[in-house]
Amino acid sequence: MDRREFLIMTSAALSASITGWQDAFASLTSPSPTGRRQITAPMVEHVEARLDRLRHLDDALGSAQLRELGMAEFAFIVGLVKEARFDQHTGRRLYAAAAEAARCCAWVHFDDGFHAQAERFFDAALRASATAGDPLTGAYALSFRAIQHYTAGDPLDAVALIEAAQVQTKNKATPRFHAMLAARLARSHSKAGDRRACARALHQARDLLAAGLHDDDPPYLYWVDFGEVEMIAGSSALQLGDPREAIRRFDAAIDANYAGDDQYPRTHAIYLARAADAHLALRDLDQAVAVAEHAVRCLGGVDSARSTATLDDLRDKLTAHRDVPTVRDFLDLTA
């Protein structure tokens, strides 16, 4: 079996079993008929609202402070699945909520540097989404798993994961959802060094977003807009060795009212560090330091190993220019 076949099997939730209570959850097919309580649709709405708050807390605070909370949310939903009674429609929503809770757990573990644990939670997310019969939730988990693969693994695996997600959601998702997948595909191609494929995917993402919002857009897509796509475009251009284009795309994101400082400080710090890197590549040290200082301000109060590592990498590159006063002052202040 080649890599692509394996990853498509993964998207169908045929991944290896996981340990402990996660393994117990993955093996469930229906709740016990002797459950102590009846779960209703309004109760599931409250569960979904809790997950929405968890997503926004992650945006603002970073992963380290949320790993325990995320696991508690997942365990809570698993407990409902195992012990409660519910009708088929409510059960599907509950399993979909379990899938999204597992994805949240996977993401915060990845962002905090716990890659093996993240993989296990991604497995749980795929299994739960398959049980729910919810290809969108499964594809959403795959899109985040792709980030882990192009960051800490093989970017070609990331490409295959996104392509599997696109197959899984063909004719089932809104333009905004497909735009998200296209943007993630572009970033994966940039990591793999495929300039043309990256450009095609970015063009597709922009065209899909131009179709506008849709009543059926999943609530977890709140962050997908033109500003985010341009930030991804800037990151991709820098990855592909074009710092001038990277700066143009980062500037275009700000022009598109990217709400990084207010809503996504953890992610914005990463994008700002990359923009500073692009200025550094063009030997514009003053602007590199100014943007780096902005990144540090964004990162204040955010606890994210991934963001910190990105900024540390930028500081290492700036060290070669320590003889420049503005660079030296920045390095001393952030030591």
Side-chain angles (χ1 to χ4, degrees):
M1 180 184 300
D2 64 20
R3 173 191 291 128
R4 186 175 302 274
E5 289 172 335
F6 171 76
L7 291 169
I8 290 175
M9 287 182 66
T10 298
S11 74
L14 295 177
S15 50
S17 62
I18 53 179
T19 61
W21 51 264
Q22 296 176 41
D23 185 58
F25 166 73
S27 68
L28 289 173
T29 58
S30 62
S32 168
T34 60
R36 295 190 300 272
R37 60 195 127 173
Q38 176 77 33
I39 300 298
T40 64
M43 292 179 189
V44 179
E45 289 176 7
H46 289 304
V47 171
E48 293 166 344
R50 287 163 64 107
L51 291 175
D52 188 57
R53 287 192 289 271
L54 180 62
R55 288 189 288 264
H56 287 286
L57 284 171
D58 175 54
D59 293 334
L61 299 177
S63 56
Q65 300 179 59
L66 293 174
R67 284 191 293 113
E68 295 297 327
L69 179 59
M71 289 189 292
E73 288 292 327
F74 186 29
F76 170 70
I77 299 172
V78 168
L80 295 180
V81 169
K82 292 173 67 175
E83 300 170 9
R85 295 179 293 113
F86 38 79
D87 61 29
Q88 185 178 46
H89 177 71
T90 302
R92 286 181 180 275
R93 288 180 62 186
L94 194 58
Y95 273 103
E100 174 58 6
R103 184 208 62 82
C104 288
C105 288
W107 176 249
V108 295
H109 277 80
F110 157 69
D111 189 62
D112 208 31
F114 296 91
H115 296 291
Q117 295 91 327
E119 286 285 354
R120 291 197 292 270
F121 277 111
F122 277 128
D123 286 342
L126 294 175
R127 289 178 180 276
S129 65
T131 302
D134 186 346
L136 297 188
T137 302
Y140 193 59
L142 284 177
S143 76
F144 281 80
R145 195 172 205 169
I147 296 175
Q148 181 179 24
H149 278 260
Y150 70 57
T151 301
D154 188 336
L156 292 178
D157 288 349
V159 170
L161 283 168
I162 296 296
E163 289 177 345
Q166 289 176 323
V167 170
Q168 185 172 319
T169 58
K170 186 177 182 181
N171 301 322
K172 297 175 183 176
T174 64
R176 194 179 190 185
F177 194 101
H178 286 300
M180 179 273 296
L181 290 179
R184 290 271 168 87
L185 181 61
R187 185 71 174 120
S188 301
H189 280 307
S190 78
K191 287 282 191 172
D194 194 333
R195 188 181 302 273
R196 290 185 178 180
C198 175
R200 285 197 302 270
L202 285 171
H203 181 72
Q204 183 183 35
R206 295 181 182 111
D207 282 351
L208 287 163
L209 272 185
L213 303 182
H214 195 282
D215 289 343
D216 292 336
D217 284 335
Y220 48 71
L221 292 183
Y222 61 89
W223 57 274
V224 180
D225 56 21
F226 281 105
E228 177 65 25
V229 169
E230 293 306 329
M231 286 295 188
I232 291 173
S235 300
S236 298
L238 181 65
Q239 183 72 40
L240 291 166
D242 191 345
R244 291 188 187 279
E245 176 63 11
I247 292 169
R248 284 192 289 269
R249 295 301 99 211
F250 288 131
D251 288 344
I254 301 304
D255 291 341
N257 297 317
Y258 179 72
D261 282 18
D262 297 327
Q263 297 182 33
Y264 318 116
R266 184 263 313 278
T267 305
H268 197 196
I270 293 174
Y271 288 144
L272 286 167
R274 292 170 184 165
D277 196 354
H279 285 291
L280 181 60
L282 295 172
R283 306 286 296 182
D284 187 348
L285 296 178
D286 288 342
Q287 190 62 20
V289 169
V291 176
E293 289 173 341
H294 189 176
V296 171
R297 291 195 298 273
C298 274
L299 206 56
V302 175
D303 196 348
S304 162
R306 188 168 60 107
S307 302
T308 301
T310 302
L311 194 58
D312 286 345
D313 181 62
L314 175 63
R315 291 185 75 261
D316 288 344
K317 293 177 181 178
L318 284 168
T319 300
H321 306 279
R322 191 179 178 85
D323 58 314
V324 178
T326 55
V327 174
R328 183 170 59 251
D329 290 345
F330 172 78
L331 292 173
D332 289 343
L333 286 172
T334 57

